[in-house]
Each structure stands twice: as C-alpha cells, then as structure tokens.
Amino acid sequence: STQSTWGWKTDIANVDIDSIWDNRMRVDLGQRYDSRVNMIDWDYHMQLADLAPMVKFPEYRKFRNTGLTYDRDLVTPPAQKDKETNYCALNPTVVLFDSKGKGFYQGDIKNSSYCCFAAQTPNKMMIHREVDMTYKWPGQVIAFHNLRALLYEFYTGLEWAWTDHELKPSEHVPLKKGPPINVKFHLCSLELEAAFRRLAMKQIKFNVGYVSVSSSSSLCNELSQLMLPNGKIIAETGKFILDLKDEQREEYVKQLLNLSEKLGWKEDVISTKRIHRLAEEMEVIHNKDRQRKSNRLTMPHAVVLMKSNE
C-alpha cells in the first residue's frame, strides 16, 4: 500500500484518526455538529459545486465524514490489484504532536484535497456528463491523469500530449506505461520551520515546491534558499476556502503575489496558465450559466512562482 511505501506504518506516534478527525469536526461545527449531514450538503451545493464542479458529491461527502480521499481501489483496475488496500496508517504530515507524542489533526476538514488536482482537466475525453448532469469520472481518476501530466511537464519542460492518453469510455482507467522518471518527493509536516532546517542541514535543493493554502505563510527566505536557481514554487490560493467571499479570494491572490515579490519571486504567468487549462467543452457548458459562476470557475487555484532574476 501507499503507507508502507512511505514508511508511515513504522511511526510509533499515538494517533487515532477517527477520534482526532471527529474532535476537529466538533470544534469547527460547534452546535451544528448534530446537523453535519445538512452542513456537508450545503457546503457542496452552495459553494464547492460552482468552484469545482467536477468534484463528485459522494466523494466529497466521504471526505467530510472520514478524511479519506484518492482511494487507491477506485484508481487501479480490479484486474491489476493483488488485494484490497488497507488504510490503517495516517499521513502524519497533517498532524501536530505534543511532547508525549499525542496527535491532534490540523489539516483540512472542509475543502478536500480533490480540489486542486481533480477540479478540472485539459483532457477532453474526461469531461463527460451523465444523464443527471454530473461528471462521469471520479476525482481519483482525474487527479491521476492531471498529476502525471503535471510531473511530466515540470520535469521535461514539454507539454503533455493529452491526445496520446485519451480516456476511452469503455476503459476503467488507462494505464499506458512510459519510461520512468527520476523524481523524489519530500513531504513536510505542519512544523515547517523544523522541516526547513533539516532539509538545509542535508543540503537538499528542489526543482519544484508545492505550498498548500494552509501553509502560505511558509513562503519565506528559508524556503527560497532550498530552491534551485531555476526552481519554481506552486502556491495554492484561497479559491477553495469555502468560508471566503469571492472578493476575499481575489484579495488572497494579490497578497500572495505581494508576499512572493518581497521575497524575490514573481509569477510565472505561462506556467500558471498551463496548470489552469480548461477544455473548451467545460468552458462552454459553464459559460451558459450566469457570469458569477463563470468567474468562480476560472479563478486561479494556484500560482506558479519563479525567482525574479530568472
């Protein structure tokens, strides 16, 4: 499983994900906790559906109740699985620990990690609606294709050939194997200052850094020093923070760019546009709705930054 690949099962930290997830929900919802089913329905249909229409409600509801997204069993075709995935180990990067090793969940409980990787896709074959006007393919499948293309483009500098990797309606998931690429990931915990110090001591440099919206304050000199001269940072915006108004989402982007400019970074406009490519069919479908929905759909979910002297 993914957990054994990353070595998370060897972590001896005291974490009961069901308990700490429920505690975080109780703190967030307060007196509305007993009405959380209605709150989840409201958040999706009144907020997220406009911002990320390709995120399916059943997936979003499962995330809100359990914290689980990107179920491997929904991505890998049954014929290629040796056994069902066992999700018994927690990703500790979203947990803060006290001095006794007790964990407290501090990650996202409302927006879901589907948003930035499964909210849209340039793959026209995947923008297919069912009779009930929902999109056919689940977020796991969309994110699989989007992340593969993202990694390829940042690694090679070439545009991903979507037409060579079309998703046929008769296929569960197309798995066309290509040559392996040498990519190594470092997942940083919420204690970013300590993580940056450890990486600096090991003299590790990065080609690409991905900064989540919950860690936007980590755009600092310490992070800049970890990037290679031609490295780039993908920084999430506040688009999918459901509690924000549209004006606040726009202001978030301005503040993010102002902060990066003070640190010697500027927006890589071409790369930002590349990660926001909407297939023409998707734009046509949603531009038939009122202008507000169109504006919310096309808001940037992330900006790509590069050093100003490049």
Side-chain angles (χ1 to χ4, degrees):
S1 67
T2 304
Q3 285 83 354
S4 60
T5 300
W6 291 99
W8 292 339
K9 288 185 177 180
T10 62
D11 198 323
I12 61 174
N14 179 22
V15 177
D16 179 357
I17 179 57
D18 293 329
S19 175
I20 63 176
W21 181 269
D22 185 71
N23 289 339
R24 180 67 187 277
M25 287 184 63
R26 289 178 182 273
V27 172
D28 180 70
L29 295 176
Q31 295 180 349
R32 301 171 297 172
Y33 177 81
D34 292 334
S35 303
R36 59 188 180 280
V37 173
N38 295 331
M39 295 301 302
I40 293 171
D41 185 276
W42 174 272
D43 286 341
Y44 178 83
H45 290 98
M46 301 305 293
Q47 292 283 353
L48 191 62
D50 286 350
L51 298 167
M54 295 194 75
V55 177
K56 300 171 76 68
F57 180 58
E59 293 179 309
Y60 178 73
R61 181 175 55 201
K62 184 175 183 180
F63 159 76
R64 288 289 297 266
N65 285 316
T66 67
L68 180 62
T69 56
Y70 300 120
D71 189 342
R72 180 173 177 266
D73 294 329
L74 296 180
V75 178
T76 307
Q80 298 186 22
K81 291 193 303 183
D82 52 354
K83 60 181 179 179
E84 188 172 319
T85 305
N86 181 16
Y87 292 97
C88 61
L90 170 71
N91 172 3
T93 63
V94 292
V95 178
L96 288 179
F97 298 92
D98 61 17
S99 58
K100 297 181 180 179
K102 183 178 179 181
F104 298 87
Y105 185 84
Q106 295 295 315
D108 168 41
I109 64 168
K110 187 174 290 187
N111 308 326
S112 92
S113 54
Y114 287 119
C115 290
C116 283
F117 299 123
Q120 60 189 39
T121 179
N123 191 339
K124 297 181 181 181
M125 292 293 293
M126 300 187 74
I127 303 178
H128 174 76
R129 289 202 175 201
E130 302 284 25
V131 177
D132 61 357
M133 296 304 293
T134 61
Y135 288 95
K136 176 178 180 178
W137 302 106
Q140 285 91 346
V141 178
I142 296 171
F144 174 86
H145 289 266
N146 285 347
L147 282 172
R148 180 171 60 174
L150 181 69
L151 291 173
Y152 175 85
E153 291 179 349
F154 273 97
Y155 185 81
T156 66
L158 304 175
E159 185 172 348
W160 180 256
W162 287 100
T163 55
D164 295 337
H165 300 269
E166 292 181 342
L167 183 63
K168 299 179 181 179
S170 60
E171 295 178 341
H172 181 81
V173 179
L175 296 175
K176 295 185 177 180
K177 292 185 177 180
I181 58 177
N182 183 23
V183 177
K184 187 174 183 179
F185 297 89
H186 290 263
L187 301 183
C188 293
S189 68
L190 296 175
E191 298 174 338
L192 291 170
E193 293 184 2
F196 290 161
R197 287 197 298 268
R198 287 194 297 269
L199 293 170
M201 291 176 60
K202 296 179 181 179
Q203 298 183 341
I204 297 175
K205 298 289 184 177
F206 294 92
N207 299 94
V208 179
Y210 194 100
V211 180
S212 69
V213 63
S214 61
S215 303
S216 59
S217 60
S218 65
L219 287 177
C220 55
N221 290 325
E222 288 76 11
L223 176 59
S224 298
Q225 294 171 4
L226 293 174
M227 304 302 298
L228 290 169
N230 61 343
K232 296 183 179 181
I233 295 176
I234 305 174
E236 291 183 351
T237 69
K239 175 179 180 177
F240 299 118
I241 300 179
L242 302 186
D243 296 329
L244 295 184
K245 297 180 179 179
D246 290 346
E247 296 78 11
Q248 293 173 311
R249 293 184 174 95
E250 295 173 357
E251 183 63 25
Y252 191 104
V253 176
K254 295 179 182 179
Q255 295 296 330
L256 184 63
L257 294 176
N258 288 338
L259 175 60
S260 62
E261 184 177 352
K262 293 178 181 179
L263 296 171
W265 293 76
K266 64 179 181 180
E267 182 181 8
D268 183 348
V269 179
I270 296 178
S271 295
T272 297
K273 289 182 177 179
R274 179 177 291 178
I275 65 174
H276 289 89
R277 290 167 299 185
L278 288 169
E280 295 179 0
E281 289 84 351
M282 189 174 181
E283 291 185 298
V284 170
I285 288 172
H286 291 281
N287 283 337
K288 291 180 181 178
D289 297 332
R290 60 187 183 272
Q291 187 64 35
R292 175 175 172 272
K293 284 191 175 183
S294 178
N295 291 340
R296 299 188 89 197
L297 176 67
T298 55
M299 283 181 179
H301 62 74
V303 293
V304 181
L305 306 172
M306 62 182 182
K307 293 187 177 180
S308 300
N309 58 356
E310 293 299 319

PDB file of all heavy atoms in Angstrom, residues 26 28 37 40 45 115 118 128 135 142 151 158 169 181 195 200 213 220-222 232 239 267 281 298 301 306:
ATOM      1  N   ARG A  26     -16.039  18.594  15.575  1.00  0.00           N
ATOM      2  CA  ARG A  26     -16.844  19.162  16.659  1.00  0.00           C
ATOM      3  C   ARG A  26     -16.418  20.599  16.952  1.00  0.00           C
ATOM      4  O   ARG A  26     -17.267  21.466  17.209  1.00  0.00           O
ATOM      5  CB  ARG A  26     -16.702  18.298  17.915  1.00  0.00           C
ATOM      6  CG  ARG A  26     -17.398  16.941  17.804  1.00  0.00           C
ATOM      7  CD  ARG A  26     -17.178  16.115  19.064  1.00  0.00           C
ATOM      8  NE  ARG A  26     -17.807  14.807  18.947  1.00  0.00           N
ATOM      9  CZ  ARG A  26     -19.075  14.549  19.253  1.00  0.00           C
ATOM     10  NH1 ARG A  26     -19.846  15.524  19.710  1.00  0.00           N
ATOM     11  NH2 ARG A  26     -19.562  13.327  19.121  1.00  0.00           N
ATOM     12  N   ASP A  28     -15.030  22.684  14.806  1.00  0.00           N
ATOM     13  CA  ASP A  28     -15.382  23.520  13.655  1.00  0.00           C
ATOM     14  C   ASP A  28     -16.885  23.808  13.594  1.00  0.00           C
ATOM     15  O   ASP A  28     -17.292  24.944  13.339  1.00  0.00           O
ATOM     16  CB  ASP A  28     -14.933  22.840  12.367  1.00  0.00           C
ATOM     17  CG  ASP A  28     -15.274  23.668  11.131  1.00  0.00           C
ATOM     18  OD1 ASP A  28     -14.640  24.727  10.949  1.00  0.00           O
ATOM     19  OD2 ASP A  28     -16.163  23.252  10.366  1.00  0.00           O
ATOM     20  N   VAL A  37     -24.710  16.484   8.508  1.00  0.00           N
ATOM     21  CA  VAL A  37     -25.126  15.956   7.208  1.00  0.00           C
ATOM     22  C   VAL A  37     -25.670  17.078   6.334  1.00  0.00           C
ATOM     23  O   VAL A  37     -25.329  17.190   5.149  1.00  0.00           O
ATOM     24  CB  VAL A  37     -26.183  14.848   7.380  1.00  0.00           C
ATOM     25  CG1 VAL A  37     -26.731  14.420   6.009  1.00  0.00           C
ATOM     26  CG2 VAL A  37     -25.579  13.647   8.106  1.00  0.00           C
ATOM     27  N   ILE A  40     -22.775  19.503   5.301  1.00  0.00           N
ATOM     28  CA  ILE A  40     -21.972  18.980   4.194  1.00  0.00           C
ATOM     29  C   ILE A  40     -22.691  19.200   2.880  1.00  0.00           C
ATOM     30  O   ILE A  40     -22.097  19.636   1.878  1.00  0.00           O
ATOM     31  CB  ILE A  40     -21.673  17.484   4.417  1.00  0.00           C
ATOM     32  CG1 ILE A  40     -20.762  17.295   5.635  1.00  0.00           C
ATOM     33  CG2 ILE A  40     -21.022  16.872   3.173  1.00  0.00           C
ATOM     34  CD1 ILE A  40     -20.583  15.849   6.050  1.00  0.00           C
ATOM     35  N   HIS A  45     -23.212  22.027  -2.391  1.00  0.00           N
ATOM     36  CA  HIS A  45     -24.111  22.521  -3.430  1.00  0.00           C
ATOM     37  C   HIS A  45     -24.178  24.045  -3.508  1.00  0.00           C
ATOM     38  O   HIS A  45     -24.433  24.604  -4.582  1.00  0.00           O
ATOM     39  CB  HIS A  45     -25.519  21.947  -3.227  1.00  0.00           C
ATOM     40  CG  HIS A  45     -25.612  20.483  -3.507  1.00  0.00           C
ATOM     41  ND1 HIS A  45     -25.574  19.531  -2.514  1.00  0.00           N
ATOM     42  CD2 HIS A  45     -25.703  19.802  -4.689  1.00  0.00           C
ATOM     43  CE1 HIS A  45     -25.654  18.328  -3.062  1.00  0.00           C
ATOM     44  NE2 HIS A  45     -25.726  18.452  -4.369  1.00  0.00           N
ATOM     45  N   CYS A 115      -9.785  19.228  -4.697  1.00  0.00           N
ATOM     46  CA  CYS A 115      -9.999  20.493  -5.391  1.00  0.00           C
ATOM     47  C   CYS A 115      -8.916  20.831  -6.416  1.00  0.00           C
ATOM     48  O   CYS A 115      -9.192  20.988  -7.601  1.00  0.00           O
ATOM     49  CB  CYS A 115     -10.143  21.616  -4.370  1.00  0.00           C
ATOM     50  SG  CYS A 115     -11.671  21.533  -3.413  1.00  0.00           S
ATOM     51  N   ALA A 118      -8.362  17.641  -8.963  1.00  0.00           N
ATOM     52  CA  ALA A 118      -9.475  16.962  -9.631  1.00  0.00           C
ATOM     53  C   ALA A 118     -10.630  17.902  -9.948  1.00  0.00           C
ATOM     54  O   ALA A 118     -11.720  17.457 -10.264  1.00  0.00           O
ATOM     55  CB  ALA A 118      -9.981  15.812  -8.765  1.00  0.00           C
ATOM     56  N   HIS A 128     -17.054  14.415 -19.436  1.00  0.00           N
ATOM     57  CA  HIS A 128     -18.231  13.715 -19.945  1.00  0.00           C
ATOM     58  C   HIS A 128     -19.295  13.698 -18.868  1.00  0.00           C
ATOM     59  O   HIS A 128     -19.057  13.251 -17.749  1.00  0.00           O
ATOM     60  CB  HIS A 128     -17.869  12.276 -20.343  1.00  0.00           C
ATOM     61  CG  HIS A 128     -19.038  11.449 -20.742  1.00  0.00           C
ATOM     62  ND1 HIS A 128     -19.651  11.586 -21.975  1.00  0.00           N
ATOM     63  CD2 HIS A 128     -19.725  10.490 -20.076  1.00  0.00           C
ATOM     64  CE1 HIS A 128     -20.661  10.738 -22.054  1.00  0.00           C
ATOM     65  NE2 HIS A 128     -20.720  10.061 -20.906  1.00  0.00           N
ATOM     66  N   TYR A 135     -20.496  14.756 -13.618  1.00  0.00           N
ATOM     67  CA  TYR A 135     -19.407  14.241 -14.431  1.00  0.00           C
ATOM     68  C   TYR A 135     -19.197  12.754 -14.158  1.00  0.00           C
ATOM     69  O   TYR A 135     -19.372  12.288 -13.034  1.00  0.00           O
ATOM     70  CB  TYR A 135     -18.126  15.023 -14.157  1.00  0.00           C
ATOM     71  CG  TYR A 135     -18.175  16.420 -14.722  1.00  0.00           C
ATOM     72  CD1 TYR A 135     -18.563  17.495 -13.922  1.00  0.00           C
ATOM     73  CD2 TYR A 135     -17.866  16.656 -16.054  1.00  0.00           C
ATOM     74  CE1 TYR A 135     -18.622  18.777 -14.447  1.00  0.00           C
ATOM     75  CE2 TYR A 135     -17.926  17.943 -16.579  1.00  0.00           C
ATOM     76  CZ  TYR A 135     -18.308  18.993 -15.776  1.00  0.00           C
ATOM     77  OH  TYR A 135     -18.382  20.247 -16.294  1.00  0.00           O
ATOM     78  N   ILE A 142      -9.382  11.520 -12.379  1.00  0.00           N
ATOM     79  CA  ILE A 142      -8.996  12.817 -12.934  1.00  0.00           C
ATOM     80  C   ILE A 142      -7.646  13.257 -12.372  1.00  0.00           C
ATOM     81  O   ILE A 142      -6.755  13.696 -13.105  1.00  0.00           O
ATOM     82  CB  ILE A 142     -10.077  13.866 -12.620  1.00  0.00           C
ATOM     83  CG1 ILE A 142     -11.392  13.489 -13.306  1.00  0.00           C
ATOM     84  CG2 ILE A 142      -9.622  15.261 -13.074  1.00  0.00           C
ATOM     85  CD1 ILE A 142     -12.564  14.341 -12.884  1.00  0.00           C
ATOM     86  N   LEU A 151       3.676  16.402 -13.427  1.00  0.00           N
ATOM     87  CA  LEU A 151       5.040  15.960 -13.158  1.00  0.00           C
ATOM     88  C   LEU A 151       5.871  15.907 -14.430  1.00  0.00           C
ATOM     89  O   LEU A 151       7.035  16.325 -14.457  1.00  0.00           O
ATOM     90  CB  LEU A 151       5.022  14.590 -12.482  1.00  0.00           C
ATOM     91  CG  LEU A 151       4.474  14.542 -11.051  1.00  0.00           C
ATOM     92  CD1 LEU A 151       4.355  13.108 -10.581  1.00  0.00           C
ATOM     93  CD2 LEU A 151       5.359  15.339 -10.111  1.00  0.00           C
ATOM     94  N   LEU A 158       8.286  20.068 -21.376  1.00  0.00           N
ATOM     95  CA  LEU A 158       7.465  19.845 -22.565  1.00  0.00           C
ATOM     96  C   LEU A 158       6.003  19.711 -22.173  1.00  0.00           C
ATOM     97  O   LEU A 158       5.675  19.319 -21.060  1.00  0.00           O
ATOM     98  CB  LEU A 158       7.925  18.578 -23.300  1.00  0.00           C
ATOM     99  CG  LEU A 158       9.392  18.533 -23.718  1.00  0.00           C
ATOM    100  CD1 LEU A 158       9.724  17.165 -24.315  1.00  0.00           C
ATOM    101  CD2 LEU A 158       9.695  19.644 -24.728  1.00  0.00           C
ATOM    102  N   PRO A 169     -14.348   5.598 -23.117  1.00  0.00           N
ATOM    103  CA  PRO A 169     -15.477   5.296 -22.230  1.00  0.00           C
ATOM    104  C   PRO A 169     -15.521   3.843 -21.774  1.00  0.00           C
ATOM    105  O   PRO A 169     -16.068   3.538 -20.727  1.00  0.00           O
ATOM    106  CB  PRO A 169     -16.692   5.642 -23.100  1.00  0.00           C
ATOM    107  CG  PRO A 169     -16.179   6.645 -24.086  1.00  0.00           C
ATOM    108  CD  PRO A 169     -14.762   6.231 -24.365  1.00  0.00           C
ATOM    109  N   ILE A 181      10.758   8.218 -14.687  1.00  0.00           N
ATOM    110  CA  ILE A 181      11.494   9.456 -14.473  1.00  0.00           C
ATOM    111  C   ILE A 181      12.011   9.465 -13.037  1.00  0.00           C
ATOM    112  O   ILE A 181      11.387   8.922 -12.132  1.00  0.00           O
ATOM    113  CB  ILE A 181      10.625  10.702 -14.738  1.00  0.00           C
ATOM    114  CG1 ILE A 181       9.377  10.699 -13.837  1.00  0.00           C
ATOM    115  CG2 ILE A 181      10.235  10.773 -16.192  1.00  0.00           C
ATOM    116  CD1 ILE A 181       8.525  11.937 -13.995  1.00  0.00           C
ATOM    117  N   ALA A 195      11.234  21.521   9.603  1.00  0.00           N
ATOM    118  CA  ALA A 195      11.445  20.761   8.370  1.00  0.00           C
ATOM    119  C   ALA A 195      12.443  21.467   7.464  1.00  0.00           C
ATOM    120  O   ALA A 195      13.334  20.828   6.877  1.00  0.00           O
ATOM    121  CB  ALA A 195      10.114  20.574   7.652  1.00  0.00           C
ATOM    122  N   ALA A 200      17.849  21.935   5.031  1.00  0.00           N
ATOM    123  CA  ALA A 200      19.023  22.784   4.797  1.00  0.00           C
ATOM    124  C   ALA A 200      20.287  22.098   5.311  1.00  0.00           C
ATOM    125  O   ALA A 200      21.349  22.175   4.666  1.00  0.00           O
ATOM    126  CB  ALA A 200      18.824  24.132   5.477  1.00  0.00           C
ATOM    127  N   VAL A 213      -2.530  25.831   0.678  1.00  0.00           N
ATOM    128  CA  VAL A 213      -3.129  27.084   1.135  1.00  0.00           C
ATOM    129  C   VAL A 213      -2.998  27.233   2.647  1.00  0.00           C
ATOM    130  O   VAL A 213      -2.886  28.361   3.155  1.00  0.00           O
ATOM    131  CB  VAL A 213      -4.615  27.152   0.701  1.00  0.00           C
ATOM    132  CG1 VAL A 213      -5.430  26.036   1.358  1.00  0.00           C
ATOM    133  CG2 VAL A 213      -5.211  28.503   1.029  1.00  0.00           C
ATOM    134  N   CYS A 220       8.926  31.959   2.602  1.00  0.00           N
ATOM    135  CA  CYS A 220       9.884  32.701   3.404  1.00  0.00           C
ATOM    136  C   CYS A 220      11.275  32.512   2.816  1.00  0.00           C
ATOM    137  O   CYS A 220      11.478  31.762   1.863  1.00  0.00           O
ATOM    138  CB  CYS A 220       9.852  32.209   4.856  1.00  0.00           C
ATOM    139  SG  CYS A 220      10.117  30.425   5.022  1.00  0.00           S
ATOM    140  N   ASN A 221      12.231  33.213   3.385  1.00  0.00           N
ATOM    141  CA  ASN A 221      13.600  33.118   2.892  1.00  0.00           C
ATOM    142  C   ASN A 221      14.159  31.703   3.032  1.00  0.00           C
ATOM    143  O   ASN A 221      14.941  31.245   2.200  1.00  0.00           O
ATOM    144  CB  ASN A 221      14.492  34.108   3.648  1.00  0.00           C
ATOM    145  CG  ASN A 221      14.182  35.545   3.276  1.00  0.00           C
ATOM    146  OD1 ASN A 221      13.853  35.824   2.126  1.00  0.00           O
ATOM    147  ND2 ASN A 221      14.279  36.451   4.236  1.00  0.00           N
ATOM    148  N   GLU A 222      13.744  31.005   4.111  1.00  0.00           N
ATOM    149  CA  GLU A 222      14.227  29.640   4.313  1.00  0.00           C
ATOM    150  C   GLU A 222      13.806  28.727   3.173  1.00  0.00           C
ATOM    151  O   GLU A 222      14.578  27.875   2.713  1.00  0.00           O
ATOM    152  CB  GLU A 222      13.700  29.095   5.644  1.00  0.00           C
ATOM    153  CG  GLU A 222      14.337  29.707   6.877  1.00  0.00           C
ATOM    154  CD  GLU A 222      13.822  31.099   7.184  1.00  0.00           C
ATOM    155  OE1 GLU A 222      12.817  31.511   6.563  1.00  0.00           O
ATOM    156  OE2 GLU A 222      14.422  31.772   8.039  1.00  0.00           O
ATOM    157  N   LYS A 232      10.917  26.317  -9.192  1.00  0.00           N
ATOM    158  CA  LYS A 232       9.626  27.010  -9.190  1.00  0.00           C
ATOM    159  C   LYS A 232       8.790  26.535  -7.999  1.00  0.00           C
ATOM    160  O   LYS A 232       8.940  25.417  -7.527  1.00  0.00           O
ATOM    161  CB  LYS A 232       8.874  26.763 -10.495  1.00  0.00           C
ATOM    162  CG  LYS A 232       9.600  27.333 -11.717  1.00  0.00           C
ATOM    163  CD  LYS A 232       8.818  27.145 -13.002  1.00  0.00           C
ATOM    164  CE  LYS A 232       9.579  27.741 -14.173  1.00  0.00           C
ATOM    165  NZ  LYS A 232       8.843  27.596 -15.460  1.00  0.00           N
ATOM    166  N   LYS A 239      -8.918  29.899  -3.343  1.00  0.00           N
ATOM    167  CA  LYS A 239     -10.123  29.654  -4.138  1.00  0.00           C
ATOM    168  C   LYS A 239     -11.080  28.691  -3.463  1.00  0.00           C
ATOM    169  O   LYS A 239     -12.294  28.902  -3.473  1.00  0.00           O
ATOM    170  CB  LYS A 239      -9.732  29.115  -5.519  1.00  0.00           C
ATOM    171  CG  LYS A 239     -10.939  28.712  -6.376  1.00  0.00           C
ATOM    172  CD  LYS A 239     -10.548  28.214  -7.743  1.00  0.00           C
ATOM    173  CE  LYS A 239     -11.782  27.829  -8.549  1.00  0.00           C
ATOM    174  NZ  LYS A 239     -11.445  27.391  -9.924  1.00  0.00           N
ATOM    175  N   GLU A 267       5.487  35.953 -10.454  1.00  0.00           N
ATOM    176  CA  GLU A 267       4.626  34.937 -11.057  1.00  0.00           C
ATOM    177  C   GLU A 267       5.148  34.509 -12.417  1.00  0.00           C
ATOM    178  O   GLU A 267       5.522  35.341 -13.250  1.00  0.00           O
ATOM    179  CB  GLU A 267       3.197  35.459 -11.204  1.00  0.00           C
ATOM    180  CG  GLU A 267       2.244  34.420 -11.778  1.00  0.00           C
ATOM    181  CD  GLU A 267       0.822  34.924 -11.950  1.00  0.00           C
ATOM    182  OE1 GLU A 267       0.593  36.140 -11.766  1.00  0.00           O
ATOM    183  OE2 GLU A 267      -0.058  34.110 -12.297  1.00  0.00           O
ATOM    184  N   GLU A 281     -14.862  22.379 -24.011  1.00  0.00           N
ATOM    185  CA  GLU A 281     -16.204  21.891 -23.716  1.00  0.00           C
ATOM    186  C   GLU A 281     -16.653  22.295 -22.322  1.00  0.00           C
ATOM    187  O   GLU A 281     -17.807  22.632 -22.087  1.00  0.00           O
ATOM    188  CB  GLU A 281     -16.254  20.359 -23.835  1.00  0.00           C
ATOM    189  CG  GLU A 281     -16.166  19.851 -25.250  1.00  0.00           C
ATOM    190  CD  GLU A 281     -14.726  19.735 -25.727  1.00  0.00           C
ATOM    191  OE1 GLU A 281     -13.820  20.207 -25.024  1.00  0.00           O
ATOM    192  OE2 GLU A 281     -14.508  19.178 -26.806  1.00  0.00           O
ATOM    193  N   THR A 298     -13.292  30.012 -13.128  1.00  0.00           N
ATOM    194  CA  THR A 298     -11.999  30.333 -13.731  1.00  0.00           C
ATOM    195  C   THR A 298     -11.032  31.021 -12.775  1.00  0.00           C
ATOM    196  O   THR A 298      -9.934  31.409 -13.175  1.00  0.00           O
ATOM    197  CB  THR A 298     -12.206  31.229 -14.968  1.00  0.00           C
ATOM    198  OG1 THR A 298     -12.971  32.399 -14.594  1.00  0.00           O
ATOM    199  CG2 THR A 298     -12.964  30.477 -16.054  1.00  0.00           C
ATOM    200  N   HIS A 301      -6.588  28.502  -8.887  1.00  0.00           N
ATOM    201  CA  HIS A 301      -6.472  27.733  -7.647  1.00  0.00           C
ATOM    202  C   HIS A 301      -5.031  27.689  -7.147  1.00  0.00           C
ATOM    203  O   HIS A 301      -4.776  27.246  -6.032  1.00  0.00           O
ATOM    204  CB  HIS A 301      -6.990  26.308  -7.840  1.00  0.00           C
ATOM    205  CG  HIS A 301      -6.242  25.496  -8.863  1.00  0.00           C
ATOM    206  ND1 HIS A 301      -4.986  24.987  -8.633  1.00  0.00           N
ATOM    207  CD2 HIS A 301      -6.573  25.129 -10.120  1.00  0.00           C
ATOM    208  CE1 HIS A 301      -4.579  24.334  -9.705  1.00  0.00           C
ATOM    209  NE2 HIS A 301      -5.511  24.394 -10.621  1.00  0.00           N
ATOM    210  N   MET A 306       8.523  31.996  -9.819  1.00  0.00           N
ATOM    211  CA  MET A 306       9.919  31.786 -10.182  1.00  0.00           C
ATOM    212  C   MET A 306      10.736  32.960  -9.653  1.00  0.00           C
ATOM    213  O   MET A 306      10.200  34.030  -9.362  1.00  0.00           O
ATOM    214  CB  MET A 306      10.094  31.662 -11.696  1.00  0.00           C
ATOM    215  CG  MET A 306       9.693  32.897 -12.478  1.00  0.00           C
ATOM    216  SD  MET A 306       9.886  32.652 -14.259  1.00  0.00           S
ATOM    217  CE  MET A 306       9.405  34.255 -14.881  1.00  0.00           C
TER     218      MET A 306
END
